Amino acid sequence: MAWRTSWLIAVRSLRRNKLQTALTMLGMTIGVATVLTMISLGSGAQKAIQEQVKAAGMNMLVVTAGNFQARKERPPDDAIEMGALRYADPSNKPRLVMAAFHPEDDPFAVHDHQTARSRLGDSEAGLGSAATLTMADSEAIRKLSGVQYVCGGVHENVHVVSGDTRWFTRIHGDDSTLPEIRRSWKFTAGDFFSERQERNKDQVVVLGTVVATKLFGEANPVGKTISLWKQPFKVIGVVTSSSWMVTPVEGDDQFDAVYIPVTTMHSLLNLSKLNDIAITTQSTGEVTKVENTVTTLLRTRHGIGPDKADDFTVASQAAKALSSGGLRPDVASAVTGNVNGLEKVTLDQIGKTLDKSSRTMSALLASIATVSLIVGGIGIMNIMMLSVTERTREIGIRRAVGARANDILLQFILESVTLSLAGGLLGIVIGVLGAVAISRSVQWSTSVSLPSVALSFGISAAIGIFFGYYPAREASKVAPLTSLRFE
Amino acid sequence: MPPVISVRDLTKTYQVGTHSVHALRSISLDIEQGEFVAVIGPSGSGKSTLMHILGCLDQPTSGQYFLTGRDVSRLSDDEISLVRNQQIGFVFQGFNLLTRTSALENVELPLLYGATDLSAAERRKRAMAALTSVGLESRWDHHTNQLSGGQQQRVAIARALLNNPSILLADEPTGNLDSKTSVEVMEIFQMLQRERGITIVLITHELNVAQYGSRLISFKDGDIVSDTSNADRRHASGELSDMAAMSDVTEGVA
């Protein structure tokens, strides 16, 4: 017998019992909608954690020119103690500051850093100022696997002038990819410069919100012209922080600053160096791996022999965040309290811990949802069982006009599958709407993925078959004669 | 040509607790093409059991049943279902129509089962033709609860006729109908026998209904008591026109 006909039979009998059909479908709908909403909440939370990790720069590496590692180096035994400083200011408590200097830091000593000497021959081979990184390095890093965005930067101080207003601030020459790396940025007006503007060395500038306020007050600066180094620059955007953790203040490096294409900066100032290269990795777990490949790559490119030190420093943001207290105090203490030796904490560990916890939450949500699906499925079974008894006479009529036992079996299974699929589809619609509504109203992040929709659909079909089979088999076993006698 | 129905030594024994009830005791019977057989007997005489076995709704304890020459007493459930679908039409006392379903969909029902795979349009056409033959074409979209008892029984007859069965089995078809509607249903049966040569087996406990048949078989205690051709047969169409005339007269008087 053709499937089409069986399906027609099933649909016709569902139509005969509209209220029952609707109520049974409702159970299924609620089940599937719950599953979908829960999954989307779970994976939304997972994504949110990933996003926050990325926004906090957990997937970020910064390669800085030069190799000056004050924090990591313990003062050597032969360090000279320069003495104590005493504050006479009565508002400050008198305190003793011990300063230890490395012999190399002696301003009168000859600088003895091997690569710095070979490249620069000067004593300023400090962090960021050595001209050891180039645009070509940044291009090469971009091609490594696991690397998401690369942004080379040159940083200077500058006077920003608009009419009679002047402001002394930081200037960053960057690649157009910078907003991708700075996840917590948002543009109050305009946008960042494009790749094309970068290529063309256009004289365009993006203002940090502090600078914009200083120069233009509340007015929208986009489209206005300011001057840097007596050159006209067109303002194309204003950037501010979207994170509650960071408030733009005077003197900060991100928002009391202006941004211009690195190419423009190079050509105007006749430079070719980069102070640093910011790198983001595609996943938070790969930071350590990428860190190693970047180091290897740069060592090769700079021709540094195996016994020589790097002429650059690769630092990960997470290590900085952990040591400088960028994390919330309770999180930081939880992390440090559980790990022996903070230095041993790798990004992989942090990433994996966060992933694990969000996965635990997803599993919890999914198990709650599964319960509601099972309840929906039992609802279907209940109704189908009831209808087998209730519809004994109908079964008898069908058998009398020639329905085989298998036709009855198929009809009842198709009825329950149709019920659960129709309920499931409705549930998917409601679930998606619910997820959107939740993320709109409570500001929770949700994420409806195609696999989770497919999963819900598959589950509802499976429930229809699973919970429909037993009642259907009972129905098909009813003998034609007994069912006709049944009043 | 073999008889449409041929039954040999048919026995049916029900096991009720420890003792057995003999519903049929070794029945042998031949029914020829085009006969209108009325089986009469009190309740418990075994006539309903016979009808269930003839309709392949039940299987005999022993004996053979040849339907159009083929032994159907020992077929598998699927084969029996196909026989019911293709060769047998049922009309029941309680109509046995699907509730909350239109007359047309009820009539279509046999076409949804069985080997044939017809298009929706073809099914509809044939169901409409069957409804037309019982005079209900104008009410095809009425649900069963919107139809009178007589109309419901006509829908059931249309359904029974849909696959051009070899036999039409009617189990107390007039049991739930008033006398005038009963005559109307009998008229349809007689018309089917007369014009289309359909073999009809009518089960009833009322002699005046049985009298519409061309042959009378009476049952008692699971056995055939008598099997005669009906000498003074009633003719439903004549009775109907008499009734019409009568009501004309009474209406004229009033």
Side-chain angles (χ1 to χ4, degrees):
Chain A
M1 191 159 101
W3 279 91
R4 216 156 39 93
T5 327
S6 314
W7 199 70
L8 180 77
I9 294 169
V11 169
R12 276 186 182 173
S13 23
L14 288 176
R15 224 171 38 200
R16 289 175 60 209
N17 301 300
K18 286 195 185 76
L19 185 65
Q20 208 176 56
T21 304
L23 287 175
T24 318
M25 255 172 64
L26 188 67
M28 206 54 218
T29 303
I30 291 173
V32 170
T34 316
V35 169
L36 202 63
T37 314
M38 293 286 181
I39 291 179
S40 68
L41 273 177
S43 60
Q46 213 161 336
K47 257 198 183 160
I49 288 173
Q50 286 271 353
E51 284 297 310
Q52 278 170 14
V53 164
K54 284 182 179 170
M58 290 289 197
N59 67 332
M60 186 160 148
L61 289 168
V62 179
V63 184
T64 317
N67 185 357
F68 179 82
Q69 296 167 323
R71 291 195 78 95
K72 284 186 184 171
E73 284 175 13
R74 207 166 58 86
D77 297 336
D78 57 345
I80 306 155
E81 193 181 308
M82 294 294 279
L85 288 171
R86 205 169 274 281
Y87 288 86
D89 185 351
S91 67
N92 276 336
K93 261 188 169 178
R95 58 192 177 119
L96 185 69
V97 176
M98 298 298 290
F101 287 88
H102 191 273
E104 278 186 9
D105 296 329
D106 182 353
F108 302 106
V110 176
H111 209 291
D112 198 29
H113 196 283
Q114 58 271 63
T115 52
R117 194 178 50 206
S118 63
R119 283 187 169 240
L120 294 167
D122 89 348
S123 61
E124 286 190 284
L127 185 69
S129 56
T132 55
L133 291 175
T134 61
M135 291 292 272
D137 288 336
S138 135
E139 282 303 316
I141 292 170
R142 202 189 305 273
K143 290 185 187 113
L144 292 177
S145 76
V147 169
Q148 190 184 25
Y149 295 108
V150 175
C151 177
V154 189
H155 316 289
E156 296 284 346
N157 295 328
V158 76
H159 282 280
V160 185
V161 183
S162 166
D164 294 334
T165 325
R166 297 168 69 86
W167 183 247
F168 185 63
T169 187
R170 291 288 282 165
I171 183 164
H172 302 292
D174 278 303
D175 282 325
S176 57
T177 49
L178 190 66
E180 306 293 345
I181 292 173
R182 303 257 189 252
R183 289 298 184 123
S184 54
W185 271 16
K186 87 178 172 226
F187 290 86
T188 49
D191 209 341
F192 210 65
F193 48 80
S194 65
E195 212 181 319
R196 189 192 157 125
Q197 285 169 318
E198 185 190 342
R199 231 180 8 250
N200 294 347
K201 302 174 184 168
D202 283 354
Q203 297 194 355
V204 288
V205 63
V206 175
L207 305 181
T209 180
V210 175
V211 178
T213 316
K214 288 287 170 194
L215 296 184
F216 298 101
E218 296 303 308
N220 182 2
V222 172
K224 303 241 168 68
T225 304
I226 61 166
S227 77
L228 303 167
W229 310 293
K230 299 199 166 78
Q231 290 284 322
F233 275 77
K234 194 180 161 207
V235 178
I236 55 165
V238 176
V239 69
T240 188
S241 166
S242 67
S243 161
W244 54 271
M245 291 195 292
V246 181
T247 320
V249 287
E250 273 179 39
D252 77 19
D253 197 51
Q254 281 194 58
F255 305 109
D256 186 0
V258 298
Y259 298 85
I260 65 170
V262 64
T263 48
T264 314
M265 190 131 156
H266 275 162
S267 79
L268 281 178
L269 300 185
N270 197 18
L271 288 174
S272 60
K273 62 162 189 172
L274 289 175
N275 292 121
D276 56 33
I277 300 171
I279 302 162
T280 56
T281 60
Q282 273 155 5
S283 79
T284 46
E286 279 186 332
V287 177
T288 316
K289 205 189 92 197
V290 172
E291 187 175 343
N292 291 335
T293 53
V294 167
T295 307
T296 317
L297 176 85
L298 289 180
R299 284 183 71 89
T300 318
R301 287 182 56 84
H302 296 177
I304 301 170
D307 56 333
K308 301 284 202 298
D310 300 342
D311 64 351
F312 55 88
T313 309
V314 186
S316 58
Q317 283 296 99
K320 264 192 209 166
L322 277 178
S323 52
S324 69
L327 289 176
R328 260 171 38 211
D330 51 335
V331 176
S333 75
V335 172
T336 52
N338 284 311
V339 183
N340 294 333
L342 190 52
E343 308 79 46
K344 288 182 191 154
V345 178
T346 64
L347 274 166
D348 304 71
Q349 278 173 302
I350 300 171
K352 276 171 194 160
T353 310
L354 289 174
D355 262 3
K356 213 189 259 172
S357 62
S358 69
R359 235 178 261 142
T360 311
M361 193 167 79
S362 294
L364 183 77
L365 292 175
S367 56
I368 295 171
T370 311
V371 170
S372 70
L373 260 188
I374 290 174
V375 171
I378 290 176
I380 286 190
M381 180 147 90
N382 207 343
I383 296 286
M384 295 305 289
M385 281 309 285
L386 200 73
S387 78
V388 171
T389 334
E390 202 183 66
R391 290 160 64 189
T392 310
R393 194 182 179 79
E394 180 199 325
I395 297 167
I397 297 170
R398 292 181 185 277
R399 293 301 312 265
V401 299
R404 293 167 305 170
N406 277 337
D407 294 332
I408 302 291
L409 181 82
L410 197 60
Q411 174 188 342
F412 275 75
I413 287 183
L414 281 179
E415 276 183 33
S416 84
V417 169
T418 309
L419 268 180
S420 56
L421 280 188
L425 280 178
L426 199 63
I428 286 172
V429 172
I430 292 176
V432 170
L433 291 179
V436 171
I438 286 176
S439 68
R440 288 263 170 85
S441 59
V442 205
Q443 305 292 321
W444 284 4
S445 54
T446 57
S447 149
V448 181
S449 61
L450 199 63
S452 68
V453 170
L455 182 76
S456 317
F457 191 77
I459 286 177
S460 41
I463 279 183
I465 294 170
F466 183 79
F467 288 105
Y469 181 75
Y470 179 71
R473 211 182 46 149
E474 291 298 299
S476 72
K477 279 198 282 196
V478 172
L481 191 56
T482 44
S483 48
L484 271 179
R485 278 180 180 158
F486 188 92
E487 294 290 334
Chain B
M1 192 177 164
V4 176
I5 291 174
S6 179
V7 163
R8 291 288 169 269
D9 304 323
L10 207 63
T11 308
K12 182 72 185 179
T13 311
Y14 293 109
Q15 215 63 41
V16 181
T18 48
H19 66 280
S20 43
V21 176
H22 300 281
L24 290 177
R25 299 165 195 266
S26 194
I27 303 290
S28 292
L29 178 69
D30 282 332
I31 296 173
E32 300 294 334
Q33 167 73 40
E35 275 190 294
F36 185 164
V37 182
V39 179
I40 187 166
S43 48
S45 60
K47 60 184 195 308
S48 284
T49 306
L50 177 72
M51 136 112 190
H52 292 145
I53 292 174
L54 292 185
C56 296
L57 290 169
D58 203 357
Q59 295 199 324
T61 313
S62 69
Q64 285 170 303
Y65 169 25
F66 297 92
L67 181 64
T68 56
R70 180 183 178 207
D71 187 357
V72 294
S73 51
R74 296 288 177 266
L75 291 181
S76 77
D77 190 65
D78 282 3
E79 290 167 317
I80 284 282
S81 300
L82 193 61
V83 169
R84 279 201 297 269
N85 185 253
Q86 301 290 317
Q87 291 187 269
I88 299 166
F90 289 101
V91 178
F92 298 96
Q93 178 177 2
F95 320 134
N96 278 340
L97 297 175
L98 295 180
T99 52
R100 281 163 285 173
T101 304
S102 72
L104 187 76
E105 283 185 13
N106 260 299
V107 175
E108 262 187 7
L109 202 60
L111 292 179
L112 296 177
Y113 300 104
T116 50
D117 189 18
L118 297 171
S119 72
E122 178 69 13
R123 270 202 306 268
R124 204 185 147 89
K125 209 178 105 191
R126 282 175 63 173
M128 273 311 274
L131 272 179
T132 310
S133 72
V134 294
L136 276 180
E137 66 277 16
S138 62
R139 297 187 179 251
W140 65 272
D141 60 340
H142 286 223
H143 281 203
T144 44
N145 57 354
Q146 296 166 316
L147 297 171
S148 71
Q151 287 168 334
Q152 287 190 50
Q153 197 59 295
R154 272 144 70 188
V155 172
I157 294 170
R159 181 179 69 189
L161 292 174
L162 201 64
N163 271 338
N164 290 319
S166 314
I167 50 169
L168 183 65
L169 291 173
D171 188 4
E172 303 277 9
T174 59
N176 285 2
L177 301 176
D178 62 43
S179 56
K180 181 168 180 271
T181 336
S182 302
V183 179
E184 282 170 2
V185 166
M186 284 304 129
E187 190 209 5
I188 293 176
F189 278 14
Q190 289 187 329
M191 182 268 288
L192 289 173
Q193 183 208 9
R194 193 172 58 242
E195 290 173 12
R196 292 170 61 177
I198 290 174
T199 314
I200 298 168
V201 178
L202 168 72
I203 311 273
T204 181
H205 64 278
E206 290 174 277
L207 185 62
N208 59 346
V209 175
Q211 232 121 41
Y212 289 103
S214 59
R215 177 177 163 192
L216 282 177
I217 299 177
S218 47
F219 257 72
K220 203 182 175 190
D221 296 333
D223 225 336
I224 296 175
V225 183
S226 71
D227 184 352
T228 55
S229 76
N230 189 4
D232 46 343
R233 191 181 183 192
R234 291 173 68 179
H235 291 281
S237 53
E239 287 172 19
L240 276 178
S241 44
D242 288 352
M243 271 188 234
M246 281 287 281
S247 71
D248 280 353
V249 170
T250 41
E251 270 167 34
V253 170

